[in-house]
Amino acid sequence: MKLNKTQLKYYLGYVVFSMIAPSAHSSVCDTINVADYGAVANTHRNSAAAFKAAAAECSRRPGSVLLIPPGRYDIWREDCAKGDYYVSNTTDEKEWPDKTKYIGIHLKDAEDVTVEGKGALLMMHGRMTPMVIDGCKDVTVRNLTVDFERPGGFEFTYTDVVDGYVTVTTHHDTHYDILPGTRIAFVAEGFSTEGFPMQCIAYDPATGYYTYSGDWKVLRSCPVEELRPGVLRFRTPAGFKPVKGTSINLRDVIRDELGAFITESSDVRVEGVTMHYMHGMGFVSQYSRNLTFQDVRCEPSRGRLLAAANDFMQFSGCGGKVTVSGGRFVGAQDDGINIHGTNLRIVERLGKRKARLRFMHHQSYGFNAFWKGDSVAFVNPLTMLRVDTAVVAGVKRIDERLVEVSFDRDFPVNAVVDEWCVENLTWTPEVEIADNYFSRIDTRGILVTTPRKVVIKGNTFDRTGMSGILIEGDSRYWFESGPCNDVTITGNTFIECGYNNTADNPSGAVIGINPSNSVMDRNHPVHRNIRITDNIFRMIERPVIRAKSAGPILFEGNTVTGIKSAELLFNGCGDVVVKDNDMPDPVIKEN
């Protein structure tokens, strides 16, 4: 075909335009740059509205990239995105009834979206949740750092201690006011120690131990004077003599915000993200599936000690596979990683196939816990065993605490109202936790209860205040999940774990297995198939393992040092094998 000049002109123009113009799915067209929405790096200007608008646009455009160019971006609570969320293990109706979260990056119903940080720093101002991923599919967050300009954790160090006086030096990120009556109030953006109950932890740099402390109960009512900016002298009661050089961490106990919230989402990857501080809980993943956390660092910046007021990571009612690898978790006033489900109690039978169920723990309620088609188990709290199973035929929400659930079959006739619980088996994950470092954590390194395969390998637990690993499960207090069926703990290093509990406490053992059942049968244990192999235990005087109602248990190829005798304690356990370990004077007790 021969073209005339006019046809040739339009044809060549079309070809050139096709080569340079972005298509509807090209990387140029689908890149949403926060700078185009008004965010300006390294200026201290408020970028909250820009991040709110850019994230909302990403949520509307599948396949898009939320680009955050390098630099520091300041985000204030007042202008950020907001959302109402009930979050597991956070606050009850009385201590904090307002469920509004103030959100730095809010992705809602997004699909195939990447948040590309390019190494950017997001600096939060006020009580905030830096990120929420809600109802999303296939989301990746990477190469991003989050910090708080004035974190809600307050820190000071004893520099002089005499009878009747102590002198402290505050961390430069810790601000304070001297109140009438010469009392102290530590202040952050939007709150202070005057308005909130506080938890106090002491850090001893000589031992590396992070322990509970009653010092704040004394100091908060003591007369204080400012010797110079950042240096305070308290007039203290006789006999009050903390150890010079010890640092105190205070944090607000109200869990109104969190580090990041992933809810009712699937295929979420968090890669190369650093969280220097998280107000309240850290990463909380709730009823989400297939979650990967790679090279995530949760540790403080600027010489601080505290990075999270509560758990670094909590997975509540998740499914698919949960993977946490290559991370650092340093400086939390609660657990490193906690993986569990939620037991709801049967409070009313409505025929043979329908019941009303209730959220029992005061801090966990209001969220969706069942969907039609889910498989569930009926749990007897006396034995903590799954007695029978069924499939959910229908769900009706009554209120924030009550849900009405119908099943595809009659549930057990011996199920006791106000005693037995229902556990969602569909929302229980396979777990792999590998090559992570845990330190300066006053409670446990890892808690895990799921019936699916669990592998904990190649991790270092450096002076966790309680057990390095705890397998629990209960329907009496926390109402968290139930039996484990397949757990491998291999190639890990445990260093002086358990110092915050006595040797006779399950959380004083380096590895604790402690379901809440009151009736034990070694032929029908709660937790099954637990293999503890090829680990290194550098001990203080605590049991290596304290296990209740578990079996088979294999303890093989482990090395234990630092103590005169190695205690391995088993209560109501069946089929326990201890062999080929290198440990001093083993003491194996079975009840």
Side-chain angles (χ1 to χ4, degrees):
M1 180 179 66
K2 188 174 182 180
L3 302 176
N4 60 36
K5 291 182 179 181
T6 301
Q7 290 172 321
L8 182 61
K9 176 181 178 182
Y10 280 104
Y11 176 78
L12 291 174
Y14 173 80
V15 171
V16 171
F17 177 82
S18 300
M19 293 174 64
I20 64 173
S23 70
H25 300 285
S26 74
S27 60
V28 174
C29 183
D30 291 333
T31 295
I32 297 170
N33 190 329
V34 295
D36 295 336
Y37 290 77
V40 183
N42 305 318
T43 61
H44 208 67
R45 295 178 184 174
N46 187 359
S47 294
F51 275 80
K52 175 182 177 180
E57 184 62 22
C58 261
S59 297
R60 291 189 287 267
R61 292 167 62 176
S64 58
V65 174
L66 179 61
L67 178 63
I68 308 171
R72 166 177 163 154
Y73 299 86
D74 290 81
I75 298 176
W76 269 262
R77 165 188 169 109
E78 289 75 16
D79 298 312
C80 67
K82 300 175 183 64
D84 291 342
Y85 290 103
Y86 289 89
V87 183
S88 175
N89 298 79
T90 53
T91 58
D92 65 24
E93 297 92 332
K94 293 182 179 179
E95 64 184 359
W96 201 265
D98 183 3
K99 302 308 176 185
T100 305
K101 301 292 178 281
Y102 294 80
I103 306 161
I105 297 175
H106 191 193
L107 296 177
K108 171 70 173 170
D109 299 326
E111 186 171 350
D112 187 22
V113 164
T114 297
V115 178
E116 176 55 69
K118 294 290 186 181
L121 168 65
L122 306 188
M123 188 63 72
M124 303 291 151
H125 295 263
R127 302 166 75 96
M128 291 184 62
T129 296
M131 178 173 290
V132 169
I133 298 172
D134 175 13
C136 299
K137 298 179 181 178
D138 194 15
V139 170
T140 298
V141 181
R142 63 190 183 206
N143 306 324
L144 192 63
T145 296
V146 173
D147 204 349
F148 280 70
E149 178 74 8
R150 290 172 62 179
F154 308 110
E155 303 182 11
F156 57 85
T157 301
Y158 293 111
T159 52
D160 189 29
V161 177
V162 297
D163 195 22
Y165 290 94
V166 298
T167 302
V168 306
T169 298
T170 62
H171 186 276
H172 55 77
D173 285 344
T174 292
H175 297 248
Y176 56 85
D177 288 331
I178 307 296
L179 302 176
T182 63
R183 290 184 302 108
I184 191 75
F186 292 103
V187 296
E189 292 177 309
F191 71 105
S192 78
T193 54
E194 277 296 283
F196 295 88
M198 307 297 291
Q199 179 160 300
C200 181
I201 298 288
Y203 173 69
D204 183 351
T207 62
Y209 291 176
Y210 212 44
T211 58
Y212 295 100
S213 170
D215 287 13
W216 178 241
K217 292 180 181 179
V218 176
L219 295 175
R220 70 183 308 163
S221 58
C222 289
V224 62
E225 61 177 316
E226 184 183 56
L227 301 182
R228 58 183 182 275
V231 180
L232 306 169
R233 185 167 65 184
F234 292 86
R235 190 165 69 244
T236 55
F240 180 75
K241 286 191 175 182
V243 176
K244 182 179 177 179
T246 298
S247 292
I248 293 296
N249 289 184
L250 298 174
R251 58 92 171 170
D252 158 24
V253 302
I254 303 299
R255 304 176 176 187
D256 56 314
E257 301 285 348
L258 51 154
F261 186 40
I262 302 170
T263 180
E264 297 186 18
S265 297
S266 63
D267 301 296
V268 177
R269 294 165 297 279
V270 180
E271 304 169 351
V273 169
T274 296
M275 307 292 281
H276 286 314
Y277 186 78
M278 294 180 283
H279 187 93
M281 297 292 280
F283 288 91
V284 177
S285 302
Q286 185 170 285
Y287 288 90
S288 294
R289 181 179 298 277
N290 297 330
L291 308 171
T292 300
F293 293 82
Q294 174 70 43
D295 298 328
V296 171
R297 299 167 68 93
C298 297
E299 56 185 342
S301 65
R302 308 198 294 268
R304 299 195 304 254
L305 294 170
L306 185 65
N310 302 111
D311 297 3
F312 276 130
M313 288 188 172
Q314 182 149 156
F315 299 87
S316 176
C318 291
K321 185 173 183 179
V322 168
T323 303
V324 183
S325 62
R328 283 180 59 84
F329 302 95
V330 180
Q333 286 198 10
D334 214 329
D335 306 314
I337 297 174
N338 189 353
I339 300 173
H340 63 87
T342 302
N343 286 316
L344 274 70
R345 177 176 282 176
I346 300 171
V347 294
E348 185 179 359
R349 297 179 69 139
L350 303 171
K352 295 181 178 181
R353 297 190 175 189
K354 185 183 292 187
R356 284 192 171 180
L357 311 179
R358 188 176 192 275
F359 288 98
M360 296 302 298
H361 191 267
H362 67 103
Q363 293 177 324
S364 294
Y365 68 103
F367 49 84
N368 295 320
F370 301 97
W371 284 264
K372 183 177 180 181
D374 286 351
S375 295
V376 300
F378 300 94
V379 179
N380 181 347
L382 297 178
T383 63
M384 275 304 295
L385 296 177
R386 300 176 178 110
V387 176
D388 203 353
T389 60
V391 174
V392 174
V395 181
K396 179 182 177 182
R397 179 188 176 100
I398 304 302
D399 58 31
E400 295 170 351
R401 288 279 176 183
L402 287 174
V403 58
E404 191 172 287
V405 180
S406 57
F407 307 100
D408 70 332
R409 55 184 297 186
D410 296 355
F411 53 86
V413 293
N414 58 334
V416 180
V417 173
D418 288 327
E419 281 288 335
W420 281 40
C421 294
V422 178
E423 175 190 8
N424 195 327
L425 296 178
T426 294
W427 292 96
T428 53
E430 178 183 348
V431 174
E432 181 175 337
I433 304 174
D435 304 318
N436 302 285
Y437 178 77
F438 300 86
S439 186
R440 207 161 62 242
I441 294 171
D442 65 316
T443 56
R444 287 69 56 106
I446 295 172
L447 289 87
V448 60
T449 45
T450 176
R452 304 185 194 276
K453 183 178 181 180
V454 176
V455 177
I456 301 173
K457 64 179 182 180
N459 304 283
T460 297
F461 301 89
D462 187 357
R463 299 173 179 87
T464 59
M466 299 180 188
S467 299
I469 297 172
L470 177 63
I471 299 171
E472 202 164 29
D474 76 88
S475 56
R476 293 294 188 187
Y477 179 69
W478 290 104
F479 289 86
E480 290 181 356
S481 203
C484 289
N485 292 332
D486 183 354
V487 179
T488 297
I489 300 170
T490 187
N492 303 283
T493 299
F494 300 88
I495 303 170
E496 298 185 16
C497 297
Y499 55 82
N500 269 339
N501 282 109
T502 59
D504 60 354
N505 188 300
S507 282
V510 178
I511 295 177
I513 302 171
N514 188 43
S516 69
N517 57 307
S518 57
V519 175
M520 290 186 291
D521 180 350
R522 66 180 64 248
N523 295 315
H524 297 91
V526 176
H527 298 299
R528 302 182 58 82
N529 301 315
I530 298 173
R531 297 166 296 279
I532 305 169
T533 63
D534 302 316
N535 302 283
I536 296 172
F537 296 85
R538 291 166 49 187
M539 302 288 298
I540 56 174
E541 292 296 335
R542 296 290 187 275
V544 179
I545 179 173
R546 180 184 289 273
K548 169 190 172 185
S549 193
I553 297 175
L554 173 64
F555 190 85
E556 179 182 14
N558 302 286
T559 300
V560 180
T561 63
I563 50 176
K564 295 180 180 179
S565 62
E567 281 193 311
L568 291 86
L569 310 177
F570 303 97
N571 181 17
C573 297
D575 194 12
V576 175
V577 176
V578 178
K579 66 177 184 179
D580 300 330
N581 299 286
D582 181 4
M583 56 185 178
D585 191 18
V587 177
I588 302 171
K589 296 181 181 179
E590 296 189 55
N591 298 325

